[in-house]
Amino acid sequence: MTQRQNRVPYYLQVKHSIIENIKSQSWKPGEKIPSENQLMQQHQVSRSTIRQAISQLAQEGILETKRGKSTTVKKKPTDHVKNPGVIQREKGSEFSVHLIRTVHGKKMDYAKKMLGLTEEQSVYMYERLRLADGIPIAFQQLFVPEHIVDTLTDEDLLVFDFHSHLEEIGVIASYSKDYVSASLANTYEADFLGIVTGDPLVDLTRITLGIDQSPLEYCRTKYLPSYFDFTVETRG
Amino acid sequence: MTQRQNRVPYYLQVKHSIIENIKSQSWKPGEKIPSENQLMQQHQVSRSTIRQAISQLAQEGILETKRGKSTTVKKKPTDHVKNPGVIQREKGSEFSVHLIRTVHGKKMDYAKKMLGLTEEQSVYMYERLRLADGIPIAFQQLFVPEHIVDTLTDEDLLVFDFHSHLEEIGVIASYSKDYVSASLANTYEADFLGIVTGDPLVDLTRITLGIDQSPLEYCRTKYLPSYFDFTVETRG
DNA sequence: ATGCATTTGTTCGTATGTATT
DNA sequence: CAATACATACGAACAAATGCA
């Protein structure tokens, strides 16, 4: 397995071997990996070398070590986001979406402006309710240009994460921008969310562009503050 | 320096000692630190122990090592590199700060919890108003542990950006986290901000840690939504 | 409850490799 | 070329936490 002529340091070879085992699902998240002694014998290197590989993987958040217990493959570290340090999370365990209504037309000037559409082009607006464990946590208005709608099925409109769903059906997003603000619930929104008119909401606006810079979606979501986390970490 | 009866591992004692030297500016960013051999003799421990301390600090981004060259204190990348795509902006042209009041004590349990302080430690709270062009745009409560306050002058409390001001006076932050939410103005806040009780506010909470993970500040700022921008761009 | 085997954590010492000055 | 600096690697010993018979 490990070989000298490579001149790749042994500890890196061990590290890659461990990563391969995890990627191939031989060692699954939450499960034990072989002990340091076993790895020593498998790779025919010293314990220090094994430890160097493991400690690096631990610091990278891939393995989890604890004295006295076996080293395990760390379970999915919560969020795998494109923008390191930015975490958007809805709180709950079971999520679903309820479609309130669909509007199709050439009005909705503000949305059309945000999507960069011309006068003649038309827009679909989907008003949706986002639910966590059956409780409404957000009121959402999703604006999509007609030419994108043509590629969607009815079920596509009920997926919880429309944004990442776009990718799955082959529509590639190259750029998206989120604006965060606060607003207060109007009577219409409050009714759906089971709150009182005037309660505060986290107001999230997202614009997504395709690889050719053409607009894919303009989405405005108003969350109950306690069901939504938006955090930004800065290191260095 | 290093002593056995502590039962704090030697490598952690060395690590701490290095951090102290950096915090006290004895070893400045970009400059060399003593070689592993010198540190061995200073601390009277083996080279492996020194290396364990240094390699961890290197992985934490505090030191920079390179074969053949001296280990240096890593220079902090300038602000804009920190988190590409995340923009926080207050709107206006002329900014200032008004100090409403100062509270000092051992109550304020929530703030102490966020700062990771013990029962006996005390906290200073500064209630400030952030103004843009003379108009109040945010109500801010800034909690600082006593040992940080000791290093501050009265003028330090009136600077507009306390966060980046910390760096200027030599207190080095390694990590900060911002939470964004929404809340509604209570009567007290509304009064200062010139709005009506119940108006929505963007609720920004920031926690800043030093390089030794000790808490530097816990800050809660409530902005008038129209005077604050928080945007996140994602590419790829 | 006790004790023993297992597992990771800390520390030492030594030797050799490789890049920089 | 030599001296210095960090990097890799081995082996050994003991400590501390855990789990099991």
Side-chain angles (χ1 to χ4, degrees):
Chain A
M1 183 78 75
T2 47
Q3 39 193 357
R4 183 139 219 134
Q5 60 267 36
N6 266 7
R7 232 27 343 245
V8 174
Y10 288 164
Y11 79 93
L12 284 182
Q13 295 183 39
V14 173
K15 212 174 144 178
H16 285 132
S17 155
I18 293 174
I19 289 174
E20 283 308 313
N21 275 298
I22 295 173
K23 286 210 293 188
S24 70
Q25 302 273 316
S26 302
W27 302 344
K28 298 188 182 58
E31 290 180 7
K32 298 179 190 176
I33 74 168
S35 74
E36 293 175 359
N37 267 317
Q38 290 172 312
L39 290 171
M40 275 172 72
Q41 284 162 29
Q42 285 172 26
H43 292 90
Q44 288 296 303
V45 295
S46 74
R47 181 162 171 236
S48 336
T49 303
I50 299 291
R51 278 187 68 73
Q52 190 170 0
I54 288 178
S55 73
Q56 286 198 8
L57 288 168
Q59 256 168 314
E60 290 166 23
I62 294 170
L63 296 180
E64 204 157 24
T65 68
K66 191 171 164 57
R67 189 201 300 249
K69 303 188 71 168
S70 294
T71 297
T72 58
V73 179
K74 192 159 182 180
K75 275 188 279 196
K76 220 190 330 185
T78 50
D79 33 75
H80 173 62
V81 200
K82 289 177 183 168
N83 225 336
V86 179
I87 301 163
Q88 292 180 42
R89 198 179 68 241
E90 292 161 314
K91 297 183 193 170
S93 47
E94 206 75 32
F95 298 102
S96 58
V97 163
H98 172 67
L99 185 62
I100 300 174
R101 62 179 180 132
T102 302
V103 179
H104 172 218
K106 297 184 182 177
K107 311 288 181 191
M108 305 184 275
D109 286 337
Y110 188 70
K112 281 174 72 173
K113 187 180 151 203
M114 297 303 281
L115 286 171
L117 297 179
T118 62
E119 278 297 321
E120 313 84 48
Q121 294 177 288
S122 74
V123 183
Y124 278 81
M125 190 271 273
Y126 302 100
E127 217 165 70
R128 317 196 312 169
L129 217 48
R130 302 176 75 77
L131 312 168
D133 307 315
I135 304 169
I137 62 167
F139 176 87
Q140 182 173 63
Q141 287 180 318
L142 178 62
F143 299 87
V144 186
E146 188 161 30
H147 66 274
I148 297 289
V149 177
D150 294 342
T151 69
L152 301 177
T153 67
D154 282 354
E155 296 94 58
D156 287 340
L157 296 173
L158 286 175
V159 295
F160 194 65
D161 192 350
F162 183 76
H163 183 254
S164 63
H165 182 68
L166 282 174
E167 286 188 27
E168 285 161 27
I169 59 175
V171 180
I172 304 169
S174 74
Y175 176 84
S176 78
K177 200 167 185 171
D178 290 87
Y179 307 81
V180 189
S181 188
S183 63
L184 43 77
N186 60 34
T187 310
Y188 183 67
E189 294 159 352
D191 201 33
F192 283 115
L193 292 172
I195 54 175
V196 180
T197 304
D199 273 3
L201 297 171
V202 178
D203 194 333
L204 195 74
T205 301
R206 165 147 60 194
I207 287 172
T208 306
L209 302 181
I211 43 177
D212 55 352
Q213 306 304 312
S214 67
L216 298 181
E217 61 156 353
Y218 162 61
C219 181
R220 188 159 179 193
T221 313
K222 297 182 180 184
Y223 284 94
L224 296 180
S226 52
Y227 288 96
F228 186 68
D229 257 0
F230 195 101
T231 72
V232 178
E233 288 181 51
T234 308
R235 259 172 231 281
Chain B
M1 183 75 79
T2 46
Q3 39 193 359
R4 181 139 221 136
Q5 58 268 40
N6 265 8
R7 237 23 347 240
V8 174
Y10 288 163
Y11 80 93
L12 284 181
Q13 294 183 40
V14 172
K15 208 175 148 181
H16 190 251
S17 154
I18 293 174
I19 288 174
E20 283 307 315
N21 275 297
I22 296 174
K23 285 213 295 185
S24 70
Q25 306 268 320
S26 302
W27 301 343
K28 299 188 181 61
E31 291 180 5
K32 297 179 192 175
I33 73 168
S35 75
E36 295 176 358
N37 268 316
Q38 289 172 310
L39 289 171
M40 275 173 73
Q41 284 164 29
Q42 284 172 28
H43 292 90
Q44 288 295 303
V45 296
S46 74
R47 178 147 178 252
S48 338
T49 303
I50 299 291
R51 278 188 67 72
Q52 191 169 359
I54 289 179
S55 72
Q56 286 196 10
L57 288 168
Q59 255 167 315
E60 289 167 23
I62 293 167
L63 295 179
E64 203 158 23
T65 67
K66 192 169 164 58
R67 185 195 301 244
K69 303 188 73 166
S70 294
T71 298
T72 58
V73 179
K74 192 161 182 179
K75 275 187 279 196
K76 296 288 156 191
T78 33
D79 296 13
H80 286 319
V81 195
K82 274 184 184 169
N83 228 334
V86 179
I87 303 162
Q88 292 179 43
R89 198 180 69 241
E90 292 162 313
K91 297 183 193 170
S93 47
E94 204 76 32
F95 298 102
S96 58
V97 162
H98 171 66
L99 184 63
I100 299 173
R101 62 179 179 132
T102 302
V103 179
H104 172 219
K106 297 185 182 174
K107 312 285 182 195
M108 305 185 272
D109 285 338
Y110 188 70
K112 282 173 71 172
K113 187 179 151 208
M114 298 303 280
L115 287 171
L117 297 179
T118 62
E119 279 296 322
E120 314 83 50
Q121 294 178 288
S122 74
V123 183
Y124 279 81
M125 190 269 274
Y126 302 101
E127 217 164 73
R128 317 196 311 170
L129 218 48
R130 301 175 77 77
L131 313 167
D133 306 315
I135 304 169
I137 62 167
F139 175 85
Q140 181 173 64
Q141 287 180 319
L142 178 61
F143 299 88
V144 186
E146 189 162 32
H147 66 273
I148 298 289
V149 176
D150 294 342
T151 69
L152 301 177
T153 68
D154 284 354
E155 297 92 58
D156 287 340
L157 296 173
L158 286 174
V159 297
F160 193 66
D161 193 349
F162 183 76
H163 183 253
S164 62
H165 182 66
L166 281 175
E167 286 188 27
E168 285 162 27
I169 59 174
V171 180
I172 304 169
S174 76
Y175 176 85
S176 77
K177 200 167 187 173
D178 290 87
Y179 307 80
V180 188
S181 188
S183 63
L184 43 77
N186 60 33
T187 311
Y188 183 68
E189 293 159 354
D191 202 32
F192 283 114
L193 292 172
I195 55 175
V196 181
T197 304
D199 273 4
L201 298 170
V202 178
D203 193 333
L204 195 72
T205 302
R206 165 148 58 193
I207 287 172
T208 306
L209 302 181
I211 53 175
D212 56 352
Q213 308 304 312
S214 66
L216 297 182
E217 63 155 353
Y218 162 61
C219 182
R220 187 157 180 195
T221 313
K222 297 182 181 184
Y223 284 96
L224 296 179
S226 51
Y227 288 95
F228 185 69
D229 256 0
F230 195 102
T231 72
V232 177
E233 289 180 50
T234 308
R235 258 171 233 281

